[in-house]
Amino acid sequence: MQSLHISTSAMRGIQQALDNTANNLANIDTVGYKRRTASFSELLSDSMTDQPAMDNQNRSSAAGLRIGSGARLGMTRLDLAPGSIEETGKPTDVVIEGPGYFLVTKKIKDAAGEIIREESRFTRDGSFKIQYDDDERGYVLHTTSGHILTDENGVSIVLQEPIEDIKITPDGEISANGDTFKIGVWKVDNPDQLQQVGQNLFDAELDTEENPMDKYENAIELRVAKLRQGALEGSNVTMTQEMSQLVNIQRAYQLNSRAIGISDQMMEIANSLRSR
């Protein structure tokens, strides 16, 4: 029975690792996407120090024999290796060179159109678009999901006139039509704890109107990151690496599936011997 538990728990973890690899492959062309790597951890195990006298007569297992319960997917770590940088020439495309995330916000409304809260998200996707926003009453830089880029205080960057010429410096200063703002780039101490919420976004875990400076550090002020205008960061997923991982997962799944089949055959033989 123990072998069945070990193999089935391992197969559940392997299935989750397969889902993680499939997600990486699906985002191979996603701007600013960071791949995740699966890591496994051992489940609880027992240590047999004193064996029953009857067992000692039939076998001589070493003292302190460990009996495991299998393995599970412990966590998926975020691979922060930089992706390839592609020059686009678009003034609203921005790359973060170094660790850090853009903070973008979006107002959530009820069925009547009233604003009920504001959600904050992190992203590495710098492919912004300019559009007039009725709520902000001005022109904003927004992501494909509709989230608006914020400044170093977590406030939405709003331009009052149509953009004719926009410039973004490496230290995050954005100027257009005489207006000047400072883009916020935030350093997260433990990126593995960031929760993915879809659309290439992470939950920033900030309450409405909470200043991000109270929780995170500005990566530009720390001089660990800078911006580059007119370029985009590609995904750091490589096809060869993910396909190699896919083969390893398939082999591990086949091994545990075969182990279940052999355990079932052994139990069948034991039951047939008892019935005689």
Side-chain angles (χ1 to χ4, degrees), residues 159 161-166 174-181:
L159 304 170
E161 298 179 3
I163 308 303
E164 296 180 358
D165 184 24
I166 182 170
I174 175 174
S175 58
N177 297 340
D179 296 328
T180 302
F181 301 89

Side-chain angles (χ1 to χ4, degrees), residues 73-273:
L73 185 69
M75 66 178 300
T76 57
R77 298 185 63 87
L78 198 63
D79 185 358
L80 298 178
S84 59
I85 296 179
E86 178 184 357
E87 297 289 342
T88 64
K90 296 181 180 179
T92 56
D93 288 345
V94 190
V95 168
I96 300 176
E97 295 182 314
Y101 298 86
F102 295 113
L103 179 65
V104 293
T105 61
K106 185 177 183 179
K107 292 178 173 58
I108 306 302
K109 301 180 181 179
D110 57 16
E114 297 294 331
I115 299 174
I116 55 177
R117 63 183 178 89
E118 185 175 79
E119 64 178 20
S120 300
R121 299 288 184 256
F122 282 139
T123 185
R124 294 275 301 188
D125 185 355
S127 57
F128 298 107
K129 304 293 187 295
I130 295 179
Q131 184 177 341
Y132 185 84
D133 187 270
D134 293 331
D135 295 325
E136 300 292 349
R137 297 181 180 180
Y139 293 87
V140 298
L141 293 167
H142 66 88
T143 64
T144 55
S145 60
H147 289 73
I148 300 173
L149 179 65
T150 63
D151 62 12
E152 57 185 351
N153 295 313
V155 180
S156 300
I157 296 176
V158 182
L159 304 170
Q160 299 302 324
E161 298 179 3
I163 308 303
E164 296 180 358
D165 184 24
I166 182 170
K167 293 182 180 179
I168 301 174
T169 63
D171 62 354
E173 186 174 291
I174 175 174
S175 58
N177 297 340
D179 296 328
T180 302
F181 301 89
K182 195 73 174 292
I183 298 175
V185 178
W186 304 100
K187 181 178 179 293
V188 180
D189 292 331
N190 190 2
D192 290 326
Q193 300 300 319
L194 290 177
Q195 180 182 358
Q196 288 180 303
V197 293
Q199 298 179 314
N200 205 15
L201 300 171
F202 298 92
D203 188 0
E205 298 182 349
L206 293 173
D207 296 330
T208 302
E209 298 183 356
E210 181 179 3
N211 194 320
M213 296 180 64
D214 298 335
K215 195 169 186 179
Y216 304 102
E217 293 181 288
N218 193 316
I220 293 179
E221 293 181 355
L222 293 175
R223 296 185 179 181
V224 296
K226 61 181 180 179
L227 301 182
R228 183 195 296 189
Q229 186 180 15
L232 290 176
E233 179 188 18
S235 168
N236 66 349
V237 178
T238 57
M239 179 66 73
T240 54
Q241 186 176 11
E242 296 303 325
M243 292 304 296
S244 176
Q245 180 69 11
L246 193 61
V247 171
N248 292 335
I249 291 173
Q250 183 181 12
R251 294 284 187 248
Y253 196 90
Q254 290 175 345
L255 174 63
N256 285 277
S257 178
R258 187 176 180 184
I260 290 177
I262 293 174
S263 298
D264 183 63
Q265 292 176 11
M266 294 176 65
M267 292 177 64
E268 184 179 354
I269 294 172
N271 288 332
S272 63
L273 292 175

